[in-house]
Amino acid sequence: MAWNPAVLGAWTEEFNGATAVINLAGRSVNCRYTTANQRAIMESRLTSTAAVGTAIARASAPPLVWLQASTATIYAHRFDAPNDEVTGQIGGAERDAPASWHFSIQVAEAWERACMAAAVPRTRRVLMRSAMTMSPDRGGIFDTLLGLVRRGLGGQSADGRQYLSWIHDRDFIRAVHFLIDNASISGPVNLAAPNPLPNADFMKTLRAAWGTSFGLPAARWMLTLGAYFMGTETELVLKSRRVVPGRLAALGFKFALPAWPEAAADLCGRWRASRRGEQAA
């Protein structure tokens, strides 16, 4: 059923008696942070989250759990230690991060506040602080990174020290089911594989999984220029997102693909298979 978060229409009837509501709505951040785009990024998240909260509050038999999208980008740009839900540092005050990166933190914090502000006492709320979800789908982050590798451009970005946190798409789905089934879980939960790694190692492993050894590295100035022409921001590749799944691990969740070499090999194989299928069709 189509929905319009600005109008509490017939879609709200689906919430009555539901086991779970999962809200992933929000404009893509893969764009230039112009004033108009920033407004759209923020408003799309806050409007949809507020609408879901209102619909749950009005339901006579509200959902048992509300899984609300958030982002691992909420954590600080850092190299010294990983960010889990308890000891992790929320970003926004880093001395070595550009001021333009603070917008992402503001969005993440406002997004989570919008969820927690809803008057839904009978519904458990989980804030899914997701890392980059790697899937072979066309146009996704994995497709973009693999495209660089396939063109011989998949070397490290800048000095390659910045950590990249990720989660395999199948583990993302498994984690969602785990969060629905475990009634003791509420609040922020990191959806990220337990083994984030520096950009240089991440790209080297991806090249190996694809079967190529060479990847042209990109200096910071090259990334700045490329991001401008591609209509995106360098934050997506330069921020060090060293995020680990502290709560999922403590609760006994077992990742099917916790390490990047195996995950990358699986994704490359599925990417090839899907493209062969497209050509045959």
Side-chain angles (χ1 to χ4, degrees):
M1 176 182 292
W3 79 306
N4 178 354
V7 180
L8 295 178
W11 61 268
T12 63
E13 298 172 7
E14 301 295 325
F15 286 28
N16 260 319
T19 298
V21 169
I22 306 171
N23 180 25
L24 306 177
R27 187 205 191 283
S28 173
V29 297
N30 186 17
C31 62
R32 299 295 293 176
Y33 286 171
T34 63
T35 300
N37 284 343
Q38 286 185 338
R39 184 183 304 111
I41 288 169
M42 183 72 82
E43 290 182 354
S44 65
R45 284 159 175 75
L46 301 190
T47 301
S48 61
T49 303
V52 168
T54 301
I56 292 175
R58 293 183 179 182
S60 57
L64 299 178
V65 60
W66 172 7
L67 301 186
Q68 172 58 46
S70 182
T71 172
T73 300
I74 197 170
Y75 293 109
H77 168 70
R78 64 189 300 197
F79 303 89
D80 59 326
N83 289 304
D84 63 21
E85 299 92 337
V86 177
T87 64
Q89 297 176 2
I90 301 301
E94 306 96 317
R95 293 182 179 179
D96 57 345
S100 60
W101 292 7
H102 295 172
F103 171 69
S104 296
I105 308 300
Q106 294 166 3
V107 169
E109 291 182 312
W111 207 3
E112 293 191 355
R113 284 196 302 269
C115 175
M116 299 310 296
V120 292
R122 292 185 288 168
T123 299
R124 176 169 56 94
R125 282 170 283 195
V126 179
L127 302 168
M128 300 188 297
R129 293 178 175 173
S130 304
M132 293 183 182
T133 301
M134 299 292 169
S135 79
D137 302 307
R138 190 176 294 279
I141 182 61
F142 178 79
D143 187 35
T144 299
L145 294 173
L146 183 61
L148 295 174
V149 169
R150 291 166 48 232
R151 296 174 179 82
L153 302 174
Q156 69 185 44
S157 299
D159 62 14
R161 293 175 54 242
Q162 67 276 22
Y163 276 81
L164 196 155
S165 290
W166 58 277
I167 185 169
H168 189 279
D169 62 337
R170 290 174 177 166
D171 275 328
F172 179 90
I173 295 170
R174 292 178 62 250
V176 166
H177 284 287
F178 183 83
L179 294 173
I180 291 172
D181 293 339
N182 285 267
S184 64
I185 307 172
S186 61
V189 177
N190 293 346
L191 270 63
N195 297 295
L197 64 170
N199 170 272
D201 296 334
F202 183 94
M203 296 306 297
K204 180 179 179 180
T205 302
L206 180 53
R207 294 195 304 271
W210 185 251
T212 184
S213 59
F214 176 76
L216 186 69
R220 186 176 290 264
W221 70 265
M222 295 169 65
L223 294 170
T224 300
L225 187 62
Y228 177 81
F229 284 106
M230 292 175 66
T232 188
E233 294 285 336
T234 58
E235 178 186 3
L236 298 176
V237 294
L238 293 179
K239 180 172 180 176
S240 186
R241 295 172 171 84
R242 193 176 179 184
V243 179
V244 294
R247 295 192 67 195
L248 283 178
L251 291 164
F253 179 78
K254 302 298 183 184
F255 284 83
L257 290 160
W260 182 231
E262 293 77 15
D266 172 82
L267 291 163
C268 285
R270 290 165 61 200
W271 190 96
R272 283 189 167 105
S274 67
R275 301 312 183 270
R276 286 196 298 268
E278 289 177 2
Q279 293 172 357

